[in-house]
């Protein structure tokens, strides 16, 4: 497949541009834009309809964690390293990365499903982070390849966003 989306390099660089810096106030340095289909997925998640395998209590905790992570991306304070990173780059994608909200295992056991928000940073627009796809995956071996399918969908949406931008249509 020919790629259209040109990612900012390093991938995830905007989301972590201020990580560890104490001299910066926690004010936004990035604009986080959620593309149309991802907005619908987030709405479904906030209404407990994204994945029936996520219990309401788990969804509530993950919603809070997701909001915190998006705020950190907004501020450029996402960690990609360490014992419990907020995000991870993806071997399968050359332009997308994932935010990884986790439940606090001291309060609640780890759920059977994990939540991922797939993002990309377009080279063509400074300071922009695109929210592309919100999906769940097994918290175990992914025999159905759900995460690969989710990453492929995020890549497709990044390409679609770039094409729409090139031809003057809003994404």
């Amino acid at each position: 497949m020919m790629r259209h989306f040109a990612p900012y390099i390093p991938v995830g660089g905007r989301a972590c541009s201020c990580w560890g810096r104490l001299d910066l106030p926690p004010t936004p340095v990035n604009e986080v834009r959620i593309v149309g289909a991802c907005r619908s997925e987030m709405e479904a998640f906030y209404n407990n309809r994204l994945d029936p395998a996520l219990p309401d209590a788990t969804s509530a905790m993950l919603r809070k964690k997701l909001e915190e992570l998006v705020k950190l991306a907004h501020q450029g304070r996402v960690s990609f390293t360490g014992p419990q990173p907020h995000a991870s780059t993806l071997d399968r994608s050359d332009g997308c990365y994932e935010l990884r909200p986790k439940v606090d295992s001291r309060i609640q056991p780890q759920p059977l499903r994990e939540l991922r928000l797939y993002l990309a940073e377009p080279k063509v627009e400074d300071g922009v982070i695109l929210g592309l796809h919100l999906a769940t995956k097994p918290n175990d071996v992914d025999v159905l390849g759900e995460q690969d399918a989710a990453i492929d969908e995020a890549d497709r949406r990044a390409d679609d966003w770039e094409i729409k931008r090139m031809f003057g249509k809003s994404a």
Side-chain angles (χ1 to χ4, degrees):
M1 169 171 103
M2 186 177 113
R3 292 289 313 205
H4 298 280
F5 184 77
Y8 172 79
I9 302 296
V11 173
R14 290 179 182 150
C16 68
S17 62
C18 300
W19 176 254
R21 291 185 58 188
L22 302 176
D23 59 329
L24 296 173
T27 57
V29 295
N30 297 306
E31 176 188 352
V32 179
R33 292 185 198 163
I34 307 298
V35 301
C38 188
R39 268 193 302 272
S40 297
E41 291 156 357
M42 291 183 98
E43 182 180 318
F45 176 59
Y46 275 78
N47 291 310
N48 292 328
R49 294 188 328 261
L50 182 67
D51 187 334
L54 283 177
D56 291 349
T58 301
S59 288
M61 189 177 288
L62 287 173
R63 280 193 298 274
K64 184 175 188 231
K65 295 292 184 182
L66 181 62
E67 289 169 0
E68 291 169 4
L69 291 177
V70 170
K71 183 177 180 181
L72 289 175
H74 207 33
Q75 297 169 345
R77 296 183 180 275
V78 170
S79 168
F80 282 82
T81 60
Q84 294 185 338
H86 304 128
S88 178
T89 56
L90 306 165
D91 292 337
R92 187 173 182 87
S93 173
D94 61 357
C96 295
Y97 59 96
E98 63 183 11
L99 288 183
R100 306 169 74 179
K102 300 270 187 190
V103 298
D104 186 340
S105 58
R106 295 170 300 176
I107 298 171
Q108 186 172 349
Q110 291 298 313
L112 298 175
R113 308 280 298 169
E114 294 182 359
L115 185 69
R116 295 290 185 262
L117 177 60
Y118 298 95
L119 305 134
E121 299 170 356
K123 181 179 180 180
V124 297
E125 287 200 37
D126 289 336
V128 171
I129 297 175
L130 298 173
L132 298 168
H133 187 36
L134 183 67
T136 61
K137 69 177 208 80
N139 187 3
D140 200 352
V141 178
D142 188 4
V143 294
L144 299 177
E146 292 177 66
Q147 186 169 29
D148 287 349
I151 294 167
D152 292 347
E153 179 64 19
D155 273 339
R156 186 188 66 72
R157 290 178 184 179
D159 288 341
D160 288 351
W161 179 89
E162 185 81 7
I163 291 167
K164 289 176 183 174
R165 187 188 174 284
M166 287 170 37
F167 294 104
K169 299 175 185 174
S170 64

